[in-house]
Amino acid sequence: MKAVVITEPGGPEKLIYQDVPTPTIRPGWSLVTVKGFGINHSEIFTRQGLSPLVKFPRILGIEYVGLIEQTTDPERLPVGQKVISIMGEMGRAFDGSYAEKVLLPNTQIYPVTTDLDWATLATIPETYYTAYGSMLNLHLTAADHVLVRGGSSGVGIAFLKLVHASFPGIQVTGTSRHLDKKGQLLKQGFDGVVVDQNGHLQTDQTFDKVLELIGPATMKDTFRHVNEGGIVCSTGQLGYQWYLDQFDPIMDLAPNSYLTSFYSDNVDNDKLNQLLRVITDRQVDVHPTKIFKLDQVPAAHAYLESHHSLGKVIVLN
Ligand SMILES: NC(=O)c1ccc[n+]([C@@H]2O[C@H](COP(=O)([O-])OP(=O)(O)OC[C@H]3O[C@@H](n4cnc5c(N)ncnc54)[C@H](OP(=O)(O)O)[C@@H]3O)[C@@H](O)[C@H]2O)c1
């Protein structure tokens, strides 16, 4: 089969499209035909060598949508069943989804019932699951003014779409480091755009709820823009800083405000099907901003790292 293999850390050119042996089925694992997957920023971190536990060579890819091809659990995962998987050490401790087929433990293969087309479905797993979990943890109300710090990211735009579909009329502002993305961000549905310059928001506005995707690098500055009683959900680390440093909770949190987070590793079948129902019932406007093929994965990584990157990038097989 074809797959994209990385043997050493570096730029997108280290992702090599090549022939590899098709994985052999073994007890407790099933083989899936990969129909599509999203490219995630964590895969960029891993490609750059910033995931010390990941040993190369490795086929990256922490999510996919696909069909069961060979099964060791014919009752729950019959051949032809539509399935999704997210995280659980796929593309990290064992080979992942940047391939035509992927072998996974049955425990982390989730059968789904949906009529969504493959491009829409491939936009959802990791990104919408993370956006949805973050939205729930922010305890939104329709009266909130919401900020997405890292508004142009895949998770940022997924969050925007879910929030607008769930709370009609709610105000959601997005940030980008690049003023020239303002028009595109407004077109995606943001009600306002703020420039994030060297980790400082270029505004005096304050917000009730913040999805913080730049992470510990900008947390202090974020809390300067939070209203009393507000909540910040720190879900991303786009700022390449993993830990809070020199953060004094007494002085640096806004008065009576709250800090929370969300981790997408906590997946179960019911939650995934619930998310698909929410997307269908609330008619959430899910679509990828760019679609690549498997042999174009290096170009997909390069696009996500470029000045122009916006929204969710997927690969369809
Ligand atoms: N907690 C979890 O379980 C979980 C799950 C999924 C994702 N995440 C995290 O959520 C974040 C977003 O993921 P994603 O896959 O949606 O990202 P993505 O689509 O790759 O994000 C791309 C955007 O990130 C911004 N960006 C890139 N480098 C940056 C930097 N050094 N400083 C500030 N902004 C930068 C750029 O925005 P501008 O150029 O417009 O500024 C770019 O448009 C990542 O940190 C990811 O690891 C966490």
Side-chain angles (χ1 to χ4, degrees), residues 6-14 45-50 54 56:
I6 181 165
T7 53
E8 58 179 0
E13 74 285 353
K14 299 290 182 187
F45 294 143
T46 305
R47 192 205 73 219
Q48 292 170 330
L50 299 175
V54 179
F56 296 153

Side-chain angles (χ1 to χ4, degrees), residues 41 126 152 154-155 176-178 181 235 237-238 262 264 309:
H41 214 87
E126 171 72 0
S152 61
V155 174
S176 167
R177 293 165 302 169
H178 305 292
K181 286 190 189 172
T235 296
Q237 323 91 331
L238 288 167
F262 178 76
S264 65
S309 127

Side-chain angles (χ1 to χ4, degrees), residues 2-23:
K2 297 287 188 192
V4 175
V5 182
I6 181 165
T7 53
E8 58 179 0
E13 74 285 353
K14 299 290 182 187
L15 297 161
I16 309 294
Y17 177 72
Q18 62 186 68
D19 287 304
V20 299
T22 301

Side-chain angles (χ1 to χ4, degrees), residues 2 17 19 22 57 62-63 119 128 161 185 198 210 277 307 317:
K2 297 287 188 192
Y17 177 72
D19 287 304
T22 301
I62 62 161
E63 65 165 344
Y128 273 79
K161 304 282 186 185
L185 288 169
N198 301 321
V210 181
R277 275 197 305 277
H307 177 118
N317 281 344

